Coordinates of all heavy atoms in Angstrom, one line a residue:
M19 N 2.9 21.5 -17.4 CA 2.4 21.0 -16.2 C 2.4 19.5 -16.2 O 2.0 18.9 -17.1 CB 1.0 21.6 -16.0 CG 0.5 21.3 -14.6 SD -1.2 22.1 -14.4 CE -2.0 20.9 -13.5
Q20 N 2.9 18.9 -15.1 CA 3.0 17.5 -15.0 C 1.6 16.9 -14.7 O 0.8 17.5 -14.0 CB 3.8 17.1 -13.7 CG 5.3 17.5 -13.9 CD 6.1 16.4 -14.6 OE1 5.6 15.3 -14.8 NE2 7.3 16.8 -15.0
P21 N 1.3 15.8 -15.3 CA 0.0 15.1 -15.0 C 0.0 14.7 -13.5 O 1.0 14.4 -12.9 CB 0.0 13.9 -15.9 CG 1.4 13.7 -16.3 CD 2.1 15.0 -16.2
K22 N -1.2 14.6 -13.0 CA -1.3 14.2 -11.6 C -0.9 12.7 -11.5 O -1.1 11.9 -12.4 CB -2.8 14.3 -11.2 CG -3.0 14.0 -9.7 CD -4.4 14.2 -9.3 CE -4.7 15.6 -8.9 NZ -6.0 15.8 -8.3
K23 N -0.2 12.4 -10.4 CA 0.3 11.0 -10.2 C -0.1 10.5 -8.9 O -0.2 11.2 -7.9 CB 1.8 11.0 -10.3 CG 2.5 9.7 -10.1 CD 3.6 9.4 -11.1 CE 4.3 8.1 -10.7 NZ 3.5 6.9 -10.8
F24 N -0.4 9.2 -8.9 CA -0.9 8.6 -7.7 C 0.0 7.4 -7.5 O 0.4 6.7 -8.4 CB -2.3 8.0 -7.9 CG -3.3 9.1 -8.3 CD1 -3.4 9.4 -9.6 CD2 -4.1 9.7 -7.4 CE1 -4.4 10.3 -10.0 CE2 -5.0 10.7 -7.8 CZ -5.1 11.0 -9.1
F25 N 0.4 7.1 -6.2 CA 1.1 5.9 -6.0 C 0.8 5.4 -4.5 O 0.3 6.2 -3.7 CB 2.6 6.0 -6.2 CG 3.3 7.2 -5.6 CD1 3.6 7.1 -4.3 CD2 3.6 8.3 -6.3 CE1 4.2 8.2 -3.7 CE2 4.2 9.4 -5.8 CZ 4.5 9.3 -4.4
A26 N 1.2 4.2 -4.2 CA 0.9 3.7 -2.9 C 2.1 4.0 -2.0 O 3.3 4.1 -2.4 CB 0.8 2.1 -3.0
M27 N 1.8 4.2 -0.7 CA 2.8 4.5 0.3 C 2.5 3.7 1.5 O 1.4 3.4 1.9 CB 2.8 6.0 0.7 CG 3.6 6.8 -0.3 SD 4.1 8.4 0.3 CE 5.2 8.0 1.6
V28 N 3.6 3.3 2.2 CA 3.4 2.6 3.5 C 3.5 3.6 4.6 O 4.3 4.5 4.7 CB 4.6 1.6 3.7 CG1 4.4 0.8 5.0 CG2 4.6 0.6 2.5
N29 N 2.5 3.5 5.5 CA 2.5 4.2 6.8 C 3.3 3.4 7.8 O 2.9 2.4 8.3 CB 1.1 4.4 7.3 CG 1.1 5.2 8.6 OD1 2.0 5.3 9.3 ND2 -0.1 5.8 8.9
Y30 N 4.6 3.8 8.0 CA 5.5 3.0 8.8 C 5.1 3.0 10.3 O 5.7 2.3 11.1 CB 6.9 3.4 8.5 CG 7.4 3.0 7.2 CD1 7.7 3.9 6.2 CD2 7.5 1.6 6.9 CE1 8.0 3.5 4.9 CE2 7.9 1.2 5.6 CZ 8.2 2.1 4.6 OH 8.6 1.7 3.4
E31 N 4.3 3.9 10.7 CA 3.8 3.9 12.1 C 2.8 2.8 12.3 O 2.6 2.3 13.4 CB 3.2 5.2 12.4 CG 4.1 6.4 12.0 CD 4.1 7.4 13.1 OE1 3.1 7.7 13.8 OE2 5.2 8.0 13.3
K32 N 2.1 2.4 11.2 CA 1.1 1.3 11.4 C 1.6 0.0 10.9 O 1.0 -1.0 11.3 CB -0.1 1.7 10.5 CG -1.0 2.8 11.0 CD -2.2 2.9 10.0 CE -3.4 3.6 10.6 NZ -4.5 3.6 9.6
C33 N 2.6 0.0 10.1 CA 3.1 -1.3 9.5 C 3.8 -2.1 10.5 O 4.9 -1.7 11.0 CB 3.9 -1.0 8.3 SG 4.8 -2.4 7.6
R34 N 3.3 -3.3 10.8 CA 4.0 -4.2 11.8 C 4.0 -5.6 11.2 O 3.0 -6.4 11.5 CB 3.3 -4.1 13.1 CG 3.4 -2.8 13.8 CD 2.9 -2.8 15.3 NE 1.5 -3.2 15.3 CZ 0.5 -2.5 15.1 NH1 0.6 -1.2 14.8 NH2 -0.7 -3.0 15.2
P35 N 5.0 -6.0 10.5 CA 5.0 -7.4 9.9 C 4.8 -8.5 10.9 O 4.2 -9.5 10.7 CB 6.3 -7.5 9.2 CG 6.8 -6.1 9.1 CD 6.1 -5.3 10.1
E36 N 5.3 -8.2 12.1 CA 5.2 -9.3 13.2 C 3.8 -9.4 13.7 O 3.5 -10.5 14.3 CB 6.2 -8.9 14.4 CG 5.8 -7.7 15.2 CD 6.2 -6.4 14.6 OE1 6.6 -6.3 13.4 OE2 6.2 -5.4 15.3
D37 N 3.0 -8.4 13.4 CA 1.6 -8.6 13.9 C 0.7 -9.1 12.7 O -0.3 -9.9 12.9 CB 1.0 -7.2 14.3 CG 1.6 -6.8 15.6 OD1 2.1 -7.7 16.3 OD2 1.4 -5.6 16.0
C38 N 0.9 -8.7 11.5 CA 0.1 -9.1 10.4 C 0.3 -10.5 10.0 O -0.5 -11.2 9.5 CB 0.1 -8.1 9.2 SG 1.7 -8.1 8.4
D39 N 1.6 -11.0 10.2 CA 1.9 -12.4 9.9 C 2.9 -12.9 11.0 O 4.1 -13.0 10.7 CB 2.5 -12.5 8.5 CG 2.7 -14.0 8.2 OD1 2.4 -14.9 9.0 OD2 3.2 -14.3 7.1
P40 N 2.4 -13.2 12.2 CA 3.3 -13.6 13.3 C 4.1 -14.8 13.0 O 5.2 -14.9 13.6 CB 2.3 -13.8 14.5 CG 1.0 -13.1 14.1 CD 1.0 -13.2 12.6
E41 N 3.6 -15.7 12.2 CA 4.4 -16.9 12.0 C 5.5 -16.7 11.0 O 6.6 -17.3 11.2 CB 3.5 -18.0 11.5 CG 2.6 -18.5 12.6 CD 1.8 -19.8 12.2 OE1 2.1 -20.3 11.2 OE2 0.9 -20.1 13.0
R42 N 5.3 -16.0 9.9 CA 6.3 -15.9 8.8 C 6.9 -14.5 8.7 O 7.9 -14.4 8.0 CB 5.7 -16.4 7.5 CG 5.3 -17.9 7.5 CD 4.8 -18.3 6.1 NE 3.7 -17.4 5.7 CZ 3.4 -17.0 4.4 NH1 4.2 -17.4 3.5 NH2 2.4 -16.2 4.1
G43 N 6.2 -13.5 9.2 CA 6.7 -12.1 9.0 C 6.6 -11.7 7.6 O 7.4 -10.8 7.1
C44 N 5.7 -12.3 6.8 CA 5.6 -12.0 5.4 C 4.5 -10.9 5.1 O 3.4 -11.0 5.6 CB 5.2 -13.3 4.7 SG 5.1 -13.2 2.9
C45 N 4.9 -9.9 4.4 CA 4.0 -8.8 4.0 C 3.0 -9.3 3.0 O 3.4 -9.5 1.8 CB 4.8 -7.6 3.5 SG 3.8 -6.3 2.9
T46 N 1.8 -9.3 3.4 CA 0.7 -9.8 2.4 C 0.5 -8.7 1.3 O 0.1 -9.1 0.2 CB -0.6 -10.1 3.1 OG1 -0.9 -9.0 3.9 CG2 -0.5 -11.3 4.0
S47 N 0.8 -7.5 1.6 CA 0.6 -6.5 0.6 C 1.7 -6.6 -0.5 O 1.4 -6.5 -1.7 CB 0.7 -5.1 1.2 OG -0.4 -4.8 2.0
A48 N 2.9 -6.9 -0.1 CA 4.0 -7.1 -1.1 C 3.7 -8.4 -1.9 O 3.9 -8.4 -3.1 CB 5.3 -7.2 -0.3
S49 N 3.2 -9.4 -1.2 CA 2.8 -10.6 -2.0 C 1.7 -10.3 -3.0 O 1.7 -10.9 -4.1 CB 2.3 -11.7 -1.0 OG 3.3 -12.0 -0.1
A50 N 0.8 -9.4 -2.7 CA -0.3 -9.1 -3.6 C 0.1 -8.2 -4.7 O -0.6 -8.1 -5.7 CB -1.4 -8.4 -2.8
C51 N 1.3 -7.6 -4.6 CA 1.7 -6.7 -5.7 C 2.3 -7.5 -6.9 O 3.4 -7.8 -6.9 CB 2.8 -5.7 -5.2 SG 3.4 -4.6 -6.5
T52 N 1.4 -7.7 -7.8 CA 1.8 -8.5 -9.0 C 2.8 -7.8 -9.9 O 3.5 -8.4 -10.7 CB 0.6 -8.9 -9.8 OG1 -0.2 -7.7 -10.1 CG2 -0.3 -9.8 -9.1
H53 N 2.9 -6.5 -9.7 CA 3.9 -5.7 -10.5 C 5.3 -5.7 -9.8 O 6.2 -5.2 -10.4 CB 3.4 -4.3 -10.6 CG 2.1 -4.2 -11.3 ND1 1.9 -4.3 -12.7 CD2 0.8 -4.0 -10.8 CE1 0.6 -4.2 -13.0 NE2 -0.1 -4.0 -11.9
K54 N 5.4 -6.3 -8.7 CA 6.6 -6.6 -8.0 C 7.4 -5.2 -7.7 O 8.6 -5.2 -7.7 CB 7.6 -7.5 -8.8 CG 7.0 -8.8 -9.2 CD 6.7 -9.7 -8.0 CE 6.2 -11.0 -8.4 NZ 5.5 -11.7 -7.3
V55 N 6.6 -4.2 -7.3 CA 7.2 -3.0 -7.0 C 7.2 -2.7 -5.5 O 7.7 -1.7 -5.0 CB 6.7 -1.8 -7.8 CG1 6.8 -2.0 -9.3 CG2 5.2 -1.5 -7.4
M56 N 6.5 -3.6 -4.7 CA 6.5 -3.5 -3.3 C 7.2 -4.7 -2.8 O 6.8 -5.9 -3.1 CB 5.0 -3.5 -2.8 CG 4.9 -3.3 -1.3 SD 3.2 -3.1 -0.8 CE 3.4 -2.7 0.9
K57 N 8.2 -4.5 -2.0 CA 9.1 -5.7 -1.6 C 9.6 -5.5 -0.1 O 9.8 -4.4 0.3 CB 10.3 -5.8 -2.5 CG 9.9 -6.2 -3.9 CD 11.2 -6.4 -4.7 CE 10.8 -6.8 -6.1 NZ 11.9 -6.8 -7.0
Q58 N 9.8 -6.6 0.5 CA 10.5 -6.6 1.8 C 12.0 -6.8 1.5 O 12.5 -7.9 1.6 CB 10.0 -7.8 2.7 CG 8.7 -7.5 3.4 CD 8.2 -8.7 4.1 OE1 7.9 -9.8 3.6 NE2 7.9 -8.5 5.4
I59 N 12.6 -5.8 1.1 CA 14.0 -5.9 0.6 C 15.0 -6.3 1.7 O 16.0 -6.9 1.5 CB 14.5 -4.7 -0.1 CG1 14.3 -3.4 0.7 CG2 13.8 -4.5 -1.5 CD1 15.0 -2.2 0.1
D60 N 14.6 -6.0 3.0 CA 15.5 -6.3 4.1 C 15.1 -7.7 4.7 O 15.8 -8.2 5.6 CB 15.4 -5.3 5.2 CG 16.0 -4.0 4.8 OD1 17.0 -4.0 4.0 OD2 15.5 -2.9 5.2
G61 N 14.1 -8.4 4.1 CA 13.8 -9.7 4.5 C 12.5 -9.8 5.3 O 11.8 -8.8 5.5
L62 N 12.1 -11.0 5.7 CA 10.9 -11.3 6.4 C 11.0 -10.6 7.8 O 12.1 -10.4 8.3 CB 10.7 -12.8 6.6 CG 10.5 -13.6 5.3 CD1 10.6 -15.1 5.6 CD2 9.2 -13.2 4.6
F63 N 9.8 -10.2 8.3 CA 9.7 -9.5 9.6 C 10.3 -8.1 9.5 O 10.4 -7.4 10.5 CB 10.4 -10.2 10.7 CG 9.6 -11.5 11.1 CD1 10.1 -12.7 10.7 CD2 8.5 -11.4 11.9 CE1 9.4 -13.9 11.1 CE2 7.8 -12.5 12.2 CZ 8.2 -13.8 11.8
E64 N 10.5 -7.6 8.2 CA 11.0 -6.2 8.0 C 9.9 -5.5 7.2 O 9.2 -6.1 6.5 CB 12.3 -6.1 7.3 CG 13.4 -6.8 8.0 CD 13.8 -6.1 9.3 OE1 13.5 -4.9 9.5 OE2 14.4 -6.7 10.2
Q65 N 9.8 -4.2 7.5 CA 8.8 -3.4 6.8 C 9.1 -3.3 5.3 O 10.3 -3.3 4.9 CB 8.7 -2.0 7.3 CG 8.1 -2.0 8.8 CD 8.2 -0.6 9.4 OE1 9.2 0.1 9.3 NE2 7.2 -0.3 10.1
P66 N 8.1 -3.4 4.4 CA 8.3 -3.3 3.0 C 8.6 -1.9 2.5 O 8.3 -1.0 3.2 CB 7.0 -3.9 2.4 CG 6.0 -3.4 3.4 CD 6.6 -3.4 4.8
M67 N 9.1 -1.8 1.3 CA 9.2 -0.5 0.6 C 8.5 -0.6 -0.8 O 8.4 -1.7 -1.3 CB 10.6 0.0 0.6 CG 11.5 -0.8 -0.3 SD 13.0 0.1 -0.6 CE 12.4 1.4 -1.7
I68 N 8.1 0.5 -1.3 CA 7.5 0.6 -2.6 C 8.4 1.4 -3.5 O 8.8 2.5 -3.2 CB 6.1 1.2 -2.5 CG1 5.2 0.3 -1.6 CG2 5.5 1.4 -3.8 CD1 3.8 0.9 -1.2
F69 N 8.6 0.9 -4.7 CA 9.4 1.6 -5.7 C 8.3 2.5 -6.4 O 7.7 2.0 -7.4 CB 10.1 0.7 -6.7 CG 11.1 -0.2 -6.0 CD1 10.8 -1.4 -5.5 CD2 12.4 0.3 -5.8 CE1 11.8 -2.2 -4.8 CE2 13.4 -0.4 -5.1 CZ 13.1 -1.7 -4.6
Q70 N 8.1 3.7 -5.9 CA 7.0 4.5 -6.3 C 6.9 4.9 -7.8 O 5.9 5.0 -8.3 CB 6.9 5.7 -5.4 CG 6.5 5.3 -4.0 CD 6.9 6.4 -3.0 OE1 7.6 7.3 -3.2 NE2 6.4 6.2 -1.8
D71 N 8.1 5.0 -8.3 CA 8.1 5.4 -9.8 C 7.5 4.3 -10.6 O 7.0 4.6 -11.7 CB 9.5 5.7 -10.2 CG 10.1 7.0 -9.7 OD1 9.3 7.7 -9.1 OD2 11.3 7.2 -9.8
M72 N 7.5 3.1 -10.2 CA 7.0 2.0 -11.0 C 5.6 1.5 -10.5 O 5.1 0.6 -11.0 CB 8.0 0.9 -10.9 CG 9.3 1.2 -11.6 SD 10.4 -0.1 -11.7 CE 11.0 -0.3 -10.0
C73 N 5.1 2.2 -9.5 CA 3.8 1.7 -9.0 C 2.7 2.0 -10.0 O 2.6 3.1 -10.5 CB 3.5 2.5 -7.7 SG 1.8 2.2 -7.0
M74 N 1.9 1.0 -10.3 CA 0.9 1.1 -11.3 C -0.5 1.6 -10.8 O -1.4 1.8 -11.6 CB 0.6 -0.3 -11.9 CG 1.9 -0.9 -12.5 SD 2.6 0.1 -13.8 CE 1.5 -0.2 -15.1
G75 N -0.6 1.9 -9.5 CA -1.8 2.4 -9.0 C -3.0 1.4 -9.1 O -4.2 1.8 -9.2
C76 N -2.7 0.1 -8.9 CA -3.8 -0.9 -8.9 C -4.5 -1.0 -7.6 O -5.6 -1.5 -7.5 CB -3.2 -2.2 -9.4 SG -2.0 -2.9 -8.3
W77 N -3.8 -0.7 -6.5 CA -4.2 -0.7 -5.1 C -4.5 -2.1 -4.6 O -5.2 -2.2 -3.6 CB -5.5 0.2 -4.9 CG -5.4 1.5 -5.6 CD1 -6.4 2.1 -6.4 CD2 -4.3 2.5 -5.6 NE1 -6.0 3.3 -6.9 CE2 -4.7 3.6 -6.4 CE3 -3.1 2.5 -5.1 CZ2 -3.9 4.7 -6.7 CZ3 -2.3 3.6 -5.3 CH2 -2.7 4.7 -6.1
D78 N -3.9 -3.1 -5.2 CA -4.1 -4.4 -4.6 C -3.4 -4.5 -3.3 O -3.8 -5.2 -2.4 CB -3.4 -5.5 -5.6 CG -4.2 -5.7 -6.9 OD1 -5.4 -5.3 -6.9 OD2 -3.6 -6.2 -7.8
C79 N -2.3 -3.8 -3.1 CA -1.6 -3.8 -1.8 C -2.4 -3.2 -0.7 O -2.4 -3.7 0.4 CB -0.3 -3.0 -2.0 SG -0.5 -1.3 -2.6
I80 N -3.2 -2.2 -1.0 CA -4.1 -1.6 0.0 C -5.1 -2.5 0.5 O -5.3 -2.7 1.7 CB -4.7 -0.3 -0.6 CG1 -3.6 0.8 -0.8 CG2 -5.7 0.3 0.4 CD1 -4.1 2.0 -1.5
A81 N -5.7 -3.2 -0.5 CA -6.8 -4.2 -0.1 C -6.2 -5.4 0.7 O -6.9 -6.0 1.5 CB -7.4 -4.7 -1.4
A82 N -4.9 -5.7 0.5 CA -4.3 -6.9 1.1 C -3.8 -6.6 2.5 O -3.5 -7.6 3.2 CB -3.2 -7.4 0.2
C83 N -3.6 -5.4 2.9 CA -3.0 -5.1 4.2 C -4.0 -5.2 5.3 O -4.9 -4.4 5.4 CB -2.3 -3.8 4.2 SG -1.6 -3.4 5.8
P84 N -3.8 -6.1 6.2 CA -4.8 -6.3 7.3 C -4.7 -5.2 8.4 O -5.7 -5.0 9.1 CB -4.4 -7.6 8.0 CG -3.0 -7.9 7.6 CD -2.8 -7.2 6.3
L85 N -3.7 -4.4 8.4 CA -3.5 -3.3 9.4 C -3.8 -2.0 8.8 O -3.5 -0.9 9.4 CB -2.1 -3.4 10.0 CG -1.8 -4.7 10.7 CD1 -0.4 -4.6 11.4 CD2 -2.8 -5.0 11.8
E86 N -4.2 -1.9 7.5 CA -4.5 -0.7 6.8 C -3.3 0.3 6.9 O -3.4 1.5 7.2 CB -5.8 0.0 7.4 CG -7.0 -0.9 7.3 CD -8.3 -0.2 7.8 OE1 -8.2 0.8 8.4 OE2 -9.3 -0.8 7.6
A87 N -2.1 -0.3 6.6 CA -0.9 0.5 6.7 C -0.5 1.0 5.3 O 0.6 1.7 5.3 CB 0.2 -0.4 7.3
V88 N -1.2 0.8 4.3 CA -0.9 1.2 3.0 C -1.9 2.2 2.5 O -3.1 2.0 2.7 CB -0.7 0.1 2.0 CG1 -0.1 0.6 0.7 CG2 0.1 -1.1 2.5
Y89 N -1.5 3.3 1.9 CA -2.5 4.3 1.5 C -2.1 4.9 0.2 O -0.9 4.7 -0.3 CB -2.6 5.4 2.6 CG -1.3 6.2 2.9 CD1 -1.2 7.5 2.3 CD2 -0.3 5.7 3.7 CE1 0.0 8.2 2.6 CE2 0.8 6.4 3.9 CZ 1.0 7.7 3.4 OH 2.1 8.4 3.6
I90 N -3.0 5.7 -0.4 CA -2.8 6.3 -1.7 C -2.2 7.7 -1.5 O -2.7 8.5 -0.7 CB -4.1 6.4 -2.5 CG1 -4.7 5.0 -2.7 CG2 -3.8 7.2 -3.8 CD1 -6.1 5.1 -3.4
R91 N -1.1 7.9 -2.1 CA -0.5 9.3 -2.1 C -0.7 10.0 -3.4 O -0.5 9.4 -4.5 CB 1.0 9.1 -1.8 CG 1.8 10.4 -1.9 CD 1.8 11.1 -0.6 NE 2.3 12.5 -0.7 CZ 3.6 12.8 -0.7 NH1 4.5 11.9 -0.4 NH2 3.9 14.1 -0.8
H92 N -1.2 11.2 -3.4 CA -1.5 11.9 -4.6 C -0.4 13.0 -4.7 O -0.1 13.7 -3.7 CB -2.8 12.7 -4.5 CG -4.0 11.8 -4.3 ND1 -5.2 11.9 -5.0 CD2 -4.2 10.7 -3.5 CE1 -6.0 11.0 -4.7 NE2 -5.5 10.3 -3.7
V93 N 0.2 13.1 -5.9 CA 1.2 14.1 -6.1 C 0.7 14.9 -7.3 O 0.4 14.4 -8.3 CB 2.6 13.4 -6.4 CG1 3.6 14.5 -6.7 CG2 3.0 12.6 -5.3
T94 N 0.8 16.2 -7.1 CA 0.3 17.1 -8.3 C 1.5 17.7 -8.9 O 2.6 17.8 -8.3 CB -0.6 18.1 -7.8 OG1 -0.1 18.8 -6.7 CG2 -2.0 17.5 -7.4
Ligands
LIG8 S1 2.3 -3.2 4.8 FE1 0.6 -4.2 5.9 S2 0.7 -6.4 5.2 FE2 2.7 -5.4 4.8 S3 4.0 -5.8 6.5 FE3 3.0 -3.8 6.8 S4 1.2 -4.2 8.0 FE4 1.8 -6.2 7.1
LIG9 S1 -0.7 0.0 -6.0 FE1 -0.4 -1.9 -7.2 S2 1.6 -1.7 -8.2 FE2 1.5 -0.1 -6.6 S3 2.6 -1.1 -4.9 FE3 0.3 -1.5 -4.7 S4 0.0 -3.5 -5.6 FE4 2.0 -2.7 -6.3

């Protein structure tokens, strides 16, 4: 049996880079991810993605998102 795994996920219905940082379009959650597994790979003003296999479950990204667009996904 696999151990339970937790990782962060983006709710793309709530995530709006143009609203959380209207001037720069910079994802504050991705900036807060010191493990560098959450990134705006398509550039500023684009929604970020999370490399879930490498997510450390520190939840810094959740605390950093002003729109509460990041959440914890539990996989059993
Ligand atoms: S995840 Fe949060 S902080 Fe990042 S772009 Fe989306 S709404 Fe903004
Ligand atoms: S939980 Fe931590 S490691 Fe995972 S994406 Fe968020 S900030 Fe990065």
